[in-house]
Amino acid sequence: MDKLIIRGGNRLSGTIPISGAKNAALTLIPCALLTEEPVTLRNLPRLADIDGFQHLMGQFGVAHTIQGQRPEDFGRVVTLEATRLTGTVAPYELVRKMRASILVLGPMLARMGEATVSLPGGCAIGNRPIDLHLKALEAFGAHIELAQGYVKASAPDGGLPGGDFDFPIVSVGATENALMAAVLCNGTSRLINAAREPEIVDLCRLLTAMGAEIEGIGTSELTIHGAKRLHGATYRVMPDRIEAGSYACAAAITGGDVRLEGAEAEDMGSTLHALRNIGVEIESDKKGIDVRANGPLKAHNLTTAPFPGLATDMQAQLMSLLTRAEGTSVLKETIFENRFMHVPELARMGADIETEGRTAIVRGPVNLTGAEVMATDLRASMSLVIAGLAAEGETTVRRLYHLDRGYERLEEKLQLVGADIERVGDD
Ligand code: UD1
């Protein structure tokens, strides 16, 4: 297995191209199940999770072609064609590796009248149940059975009628699954207290381009008028707001000056607000965001929340940054119960962080020192890279498969702005 070696201390300066959003791509790909016509996605990031999802789609008989992009380019153009589906089962060995596989349930059920998907099981950051995905589909008229670790969903003869569902808590994944089923229901459906993350807006835009009729896009109440059939579409995946936010933290912790090319400030409101409060200068235009950190960093309290609140996916990276800020910062994680696994690793690099349940108290500034570290999830791994960029000496980050799931060509992008980082084979 590969590892990353980072020699900290370089001030980052220059331009980083921001890739297409992983979390958007993972809900746009299963939309191809909703039509027999081709769906072309542009700006798809080259990531292990995206390849995995394409492989899963192949299990159902979905053909995919990758159109001519040079290997040196970021992003890909992929056409998915679900002319005739040959299977409706998402097996455990694929779902286990990639939780997002659960997102085939809604579209597959709506198109084929049945779908069998393995229960994803637990995950390093928490329990992550899927009860709300299932309840929303039941509200649309689906029959759900759980047996031998699988969810078996079926529609009545003549298809899903559609219906209303009021989410007791905001769930991104359940909103996505429900939306992808509702667009092919016979009647009108309403989703109340729906997630309104930018990735949901991206999903609604692709569905609309495919002929779906959705009212309330960008709000927490969505009304979907079901269609008999949807058609193909070509769609560009939105920029990755979490990747952009991560590199903003990397730039800031090194006192750097970096342009995030292609990043969309409107999608990143809370993250940019947090960075400004920490003392980072942010300027944005239509084509990107400039991040500059000249002065000292200041402590700042943060609480994760559904959009437009601060993304849980930014918590670990901001925590690394706050280890270098003057004063005490309190970070509260409200989305997942076990999302502080980076804390003991950051502590090994010299961070002064205390946790009490879902709260972390960060005292700074500390001088970070290089160490051998590893993390158990994607964003936690990124927080260690960020700390490594500011640490004195050498940091080795192991278990790179987490980073490869979510950051397209991470070390290349950081090298572009002057980081001393390399990927080497493990010994
Ligand atoms: C969540 C994040 C998303 C992030 C992703 C990956 C939120 C609201 N969602 O999305 O921004 O990109 O993780 O890190 O910040 N829940 C249930 N039952 C369900 C589904 C969810 O109880 O059926 C709970 C979860 O345990 C969690 C909360 O609802 O506490 C939000 O989960 P959800 O938004 O569904 O998670 P993801 O879609 O994975």
Side-chain angles (χ1 to χ4, degrees):
M1 254 195 294
D2 290 354
K3 57 189 180 187
L4 281 178
I5 311 273
I6 305 164
R7 280 166 286 269
N10 287 8
R11 180 178 170 272
L12 303 189
S13 165
T15 298
I16 298 180
I18 297 305
S19 294
K22 170 182 83 86
N23 287 345
L26 292 175
T27 187
L28 299 179
I29 292 172
C31 289
L33 294 169
L34 291 165
T35 175
E36 62 271 21
E37 294 181 18
V39 171
T40 298
L41 297 173
R42 293 165 50 222
N43 198 33
L44 267 186
R46 294 181 186 199
L47 297 170
D49 266 14
I50 303 295
D51 292 344
F53 213 124
Q54 279 165 205
H55 180 62
L56 173 66
M57 297 285 280
Q59 296 263 311
F60 309 133
V62 179
H64 79 262
T65 48
I66 301 171
Q67 286 164 21
Q69 283 231 317
R70 296 170 306 169
E72 62 268 32
D73 292 336
F74 291 100
R76 274 183 175 165
V77 181
V78 174
T79 299
L80 297 143
E81 203 164 349
T83 316
R84 211 174 57 81
L85 294 177
T86 53
T88 56
V89 180
Y92 178 63
E93 62 267 25
L94 293 181
V95 180
R96 173 177 69 86
K97 286 193 210 134
M98 194 182 43
R99 288 190 59 85
S101 311
I102 191 69
L103 294 176
V104 302
L105 184 65
M108 176 67 82
L109 169 68
R111 164 110 178 253
M112 301 297 281
E114 61 173 50
T116 304
V117 178
S118 166
L119 286 164
C123 152
I125 63 175
N127 182 19
R128 301 186 86 173
I130 58 155
D131 56 316
L132 301 176
H133 300 236
L134 306 183
K135 282 183 183 145
L137 296 176
E138 274 176 337
F140 296 166
H143 176 72
I144 306 276
E145 256 175 76
L146 296 180
Q148 281 105 38
Y150 278 77
V151 179
K152 196 168 166 27
S154 54
D157 289 345
L160 290 174
D164 294 354
F165 188 68
D166 189 345
F167 289 93
I169 46 174
V170 176
S171 162
V172 175
T175 302
E176 290 166 347
N177 240 332
L179 263 166
M180 288 187 281
V183 290
L184 283 186
C185 284
N186 296 327
T188 293
S189 303
R190 246 172 10 118
L191 298 176
I192 300 146
N193 197 26
R196 51 193 169 122
E197 267 62 7
E199 291 76 15
I200 303 271
V201 173
D202 219 35
L203 168 62
C204 288
R205 288 194 181 133
L206 170 61
L207 291 171
T208 305
M210 293 170 70
E213 231 188 287
I214 305 170
E215 289 167 36
I217 295 175
T219 74
S220 55
E221 190 167 324
L222 297 165
T223 303
I224 306 106
H225 303 286
K228 276 235 147 5
R229 55 186 298 278
L230 297 180
H231 52 73
T234 296
Y235 189 77
R236 185 180 165 83
V237 182
M238 66 178 276
D240 196 315
R241 64 191 172 110
I242 308 301
E243 186 199 28
S246 303
Y247 289 129
C249 291
I253 204 168
T254 68
D257 182 352
V258 167
R259 178 162 178 82
L260 306 168
E261 193 68 37
E264 179 65 68
E266 213 172 291
D267 296 340
M268 296 175 60
S270 299
T271 297
L272 299 183
H273 184 71
L275 287 166
R276 284 194 180 103
N277 280 320
I278 295 168
V280 183
E281 251 178 72
I282 305 282
E283 270 173 54
S284 64
D285 55 52
K286 280 192 187 133
K287 292 195 172 149
I289 300 174
D290 294 302
V291 180
R292 220 166 291 122
N294 293 324
L297 301 172
K298 297 172 289 191
H300 181 56
N301 297 340
L302 295 169
T303 301
T304 62
F307 192 85
L310 180 71
T312 171
D313 277 353
M314 279 305 303
Q315 178 256 109
Q317 302 90 311
L318 285 163
M319 190 184 295
S320 286
L321 181 60
L322 287 169
T323 63
R324 301 280 305 132
E326 176 80 44
T328 300
S329 307
V330 178
L331 277 82
K332 289 194 179 132
E333 170 58 57
T334 72
I335 308 292
F336 294 113
E337 63 273 23
N338 186 25
R339 213 171 185 183
F340 285 147
M341 285 99 54
H342 41 288
V343 170
E345 296 299 291
L346 287 173
R348 297 182 58 243
M349 297 178 73
D352 180 353
I353 308 171
E354 201 184 308
T355 56
E356 286 168 22
R358 291 189 184 196
T359 301
I361 299 155
V362 184
R363 293 188 187 87
V366 295
N367 287 326
L368 296 168
T369 48
E372 294 218 16
V373 289
M374 62 184 184
T376 41
D377 87 69
L378 169 60
R379 308 304 170 185
S381 300
M382 189 61 192
S383 77
L384 301 177
V385 172
I386 292 167
L389 291 168
E392 198 186 308
E394 196 172 281
T395 296
T396 305
V397 182
R398 291 177 194 272
R399 296 202 185 162
L400 291 195
Y401 50 85
H402 292 299
L403 285 167
D404 291 339
R405 281 184 40 225
Y407 290 90
E408 183 177 20
R409 292 150 79 184
L410 168 85
E411 66 276 16
E412 270 180 70
K413 290 193 183 189
L414 285 169
Q415 283 160 3
L416 281 176
V417 290
D420 186 345
I421 180 169
E422 61 178 330
R423 179 186 289 251
V424 296
D426 211 348
D427 33 51

